[in-house]
Amino acid sequence: MTSLTTASRSAFGTANPHALATILEAGETRRIISATDIYDISGVKLWAGNQPVSAALQRRLLDRELRQPLETSLIAEDGVSVAGLVQAVQDVLQSSSPLVPVLQPHAPRLLALIGGLTLHPVAQLLLTAAQTARPAHYAHAVAAMALNGALMAADGGDDAAVR
């Protein structure tokens, strides 16, 4: 059990280089900042709060174990919104996607439930990074979200389950 705990701490204690690269790329055109000070595991401040992400942050994070996962310390000030998610699902519904026949019967409910979501800051950050730096990944995530909701609705799921 100790090695599993150590392995988990090591895997989640350092910044994922792929996620960080995507976030930094998105930060070139979006306002992504540190919401809080970022510390390493020994308490050394690596980055002050309210600063935009940059390549300097990436250099400071290399091979450093963090006190908290990086994604919980960053926010996208001008990121993906609930209205943007609704529009993205509407775009899927108006496309030639093979998912449309599965989604269409549940579209009004899905759109209403998506419109009432509260985006967690970490989800909003990662969706923003994907939308900006990896648009195909963002489109896939939106389609997967809609498909999961439609499948749950088709199975008789209540609003909480579909959300």
Side-chain angles (χ1 to χ4, degrees), residues 129-146:
Q131 181 190 48
T132 306
R134 309 285 187 272
H137 294 183
Y138 175 75
H140 178 82
V142 168
M145 173 189 67

Side-chain angles (χ1 to χ4, degrees), residues 4-41:
L4 180 59
T5 304
T6 303
S8 295
R9 185 178 301 134
S10 175
F12 296 108
T14 57
N16 176 313
H18 304 290
L20 181 56
T22 302
I23 291 167
L24 288 172
E25 187 176 334
E28 292 174 9
T29 57
R30 304 297 277 273
R31 179 124 168 94
I32 299 176
I33 64 166
S34 55
T36 62
D37 293 344
I38 299 172
Y39 293 92
D40 71 8
I41 195 98

Side-chain angles (χ1 to χ4, degrees), residues 51-144:
Q51 283 193 69
V53 298
S54 70
L57 173 63
Q58 185 176 28
R59 287 189 297 276
R60 288 191 182 169
L61 295 178
L62 283 177
D63 300 323
R64 301 293 282 273
E65 283 195 56
L66 303 177
R67 194 178 275 178
Q68 296 181 351
L70 179 65
E71 295 83 358
T72 65
S73 301
L74 303 176
I75 58 171
E77 288 187 328
D78 59 350
V80 169
S81 65
V82 170
L85 285 176
V86 169
Q87 182 60 55
V89 172
Q90 288 174 332
D91 292 346
V92 172
L93 288 165
Q94 295 170 0
S95 73
S96 60
S97 168
L99 298 177
V100 171
V102 177
L103 301 177
Q104 197 61 52
H106 308 286
R109 184 175 178 202
L110 290 175
L111 293 169
L113 290 173
I114 293 166
L117 288 176
T118 300
L119 279 178
H120 187 281
V122 173
Q124 191 254 7
L125 169 71
L126 296 175
L127 285 168
T128 300
Q131 181 190 48
T132 306
R134 309 285 187 272
H137 294 183
Y138 175 75
H140 178 82
V142 168

